[in-house]
Amino acid sequence: MNLNSGTFRLVYENALFTFGKMILLYFTIPLFLLWLFIGYFFTLGEDVVAAISGPAYVIISLFAITGFKNIFPVAIGMGSTRTNLLKTFSMVSLVSVLVTVFFLNIFQWMLLTLYERWNVAANILHPAILFKQEYSFISYFLIDLMFVTFIFSITFLLFTIYYRLGLKKSVIWLMVLLIIGTLLNYSGVVNFSLYSWLTTKDLNVTILFTFITIISLIALLMTYPIMRNAPLQPKSKKD
């Protein structure tokens, strides 16, 4: 087995367990069946929100941290390069996110369809309701994909920064950025009300999807120079 296939198999097997078994088999399907049971046998009002995707978002964020952290020393020990590992981890993770989000939306669509047939008033938890009230599978899927990709990319970027700088320096830089951002915002120099701008402009879903996806890809690309020469062990908490 060559180095590329060995690295791919290592990342793939970890992603398969996390996305395939943990997210879909252990959490999403049981929650889907639970909300089907509750919706059929109990009377639910409009204040009830059926949530089956919450654990998936949390696990995907954790995979961006623990997945790479656990694979990193093993892959390098097998002879893989850091560049190859970063490329493989990013590509496999993005494909896994795509497939997982698709199945999540399939289950949500099935739940919504059955609730409408049973005249259940409960709502389905989905990030797309912040931007688009009328349900459309394609639009909801794209917004969900955008949202989850953004979560994964930003989490992975923040982890790599913490990995290289350590806890103390990461917190110091975070506070410096927060202070600068707060001063710029309240001085009127820069307005950071991005969410308000997005929701009031009634942006096309495609434009929104493209905008956030570009930010997510930039965040992933930024991990390369950070981890290109990274040591096998992260900085200690005291650093």
Side-chain angles (χ1 to χ4, degrees):
M1 180 180 295
N2 58 45
L3 297 181
N4 290 333
S5 62
T7 303
F8 175 81
R9 182 173 180 180
L10 180 64
V11 177
Y12 170 78
E13 289 181 351
N14 278 271
L16 180 63
F17 175 79
T18 302
F19 290 87
K21 291 185 178 180
M22 287 288 292
I23 293 178
L24 294 177
L25 186 60
Y26 297 161
F27 284 98
T28 302
I29 294 178
L31 285 175
F32 169 73
L33 296 176
L34 173 64
W35 281 110
L36 276 184
F37 179 85
I38 293 175
Y40 187 81
F41 289 101
F42 298 93
T43 302
L44 302 179
E46 294 182 355
D47 58 328
V48 177
V49 179
I52 65 175
S53 58
Y57 299 152
V58 175
I59 295 174
I60 289 172
S61 299
L62 292 176
F63 180 77
I65 300 173
T66 60
F68 186 84
K69 182 179 179 181
N70 294 334
I71 294 171
F72 184 41
V74 179
I76 300 302
M78 292 170 53
S80 176
T81 63
R82 288 160 175 78
T83 299
N84 182 50
L85 175 59
L86 285 167
K87 291 179 180 179
T88 305
F89 181 78
S90 298
M91 288 189 294
V92 171
S93 298
L94 289 177
V95 173
S96 300
V97 166
L98 172 65
V99 174
T100 302
V101 170
F102 177 77
F103 278 106
L104 278 175
N105 279 266
I106 288 292
F107 285 117
Q108 289 168 338
W109 170 78
M110 293 170 60
L111 188 62
L112 180 63
T113 301
L114 291 174
Y115 274 12
E116 290 178 349
R117 182 173 299 180
W118 298 339
N119 294 320
V120 177
N123 298 303
I124 308 298
L125 180 64
H126 198 287
I129 61 177
L130 297 174
F131 306 97
K132 187 178 179 64
Q133 294 297 324
E134 184 179 354
Y135 179 80
S136 169
F137 179 83
I138 298 298
S139 298
Y140 270 52
F141 166 68
L142 289 177
I143 294 175
D144 203 12
L145 180 62
M146 167 201 70
F147 177 73
V148 178
T149 303
F150 180 78
I151 289 178
F152 172 82
S153 301
I154 296 300
T155 303
F156 186 40
L157 175 61
L158 293 177
F159 164 72
T160 58
I161 294 173
Y162 165 78
Y163 189 96
R164 293 305 305 271
L165 296 181
L167 179 61
K168 184 172 67 176
K169 291 182 180 178
S170 297
V171 172
I172 291 174
W173 277 107
L174 176 61
M175 289 306 302
V176 169
L177 293 175
L178 285 175
I179 291 172
I180 293 175
T182 303
L183 292 176
L184 290 175
N185 184 54
Y186 284 99
S187 64
V189 177
V190 179
N191 188 353
F192 291 104
S193 56
L194 178 61
Y195 172 76
S196 299
W197 183 80
L198 290 174
T199 54
T200 55
K201 292 297 181 180
D202 192 23
L203 294 178
N204 182 276
V205 172
T206 304
I207 298 176
L208 182 65
F209 176 81
T210 304
F211 178 73
I212 302 299
T213 301
I214 290 175
I215 295 178
S216 303
L217 294 179
I218 291 175
L220 275 182
L221 290 175
M222 290 174 62
T223 63
Y224 170 72
I226 296 175
M227 297 297 292
R228 182 177 56 185
N229 298 312
L232 293 180
Q233 296 297 328
K235 288 281 188 177
S236 66
K237 294 183 178 180
K238 296 181 179 179
D239 291 334

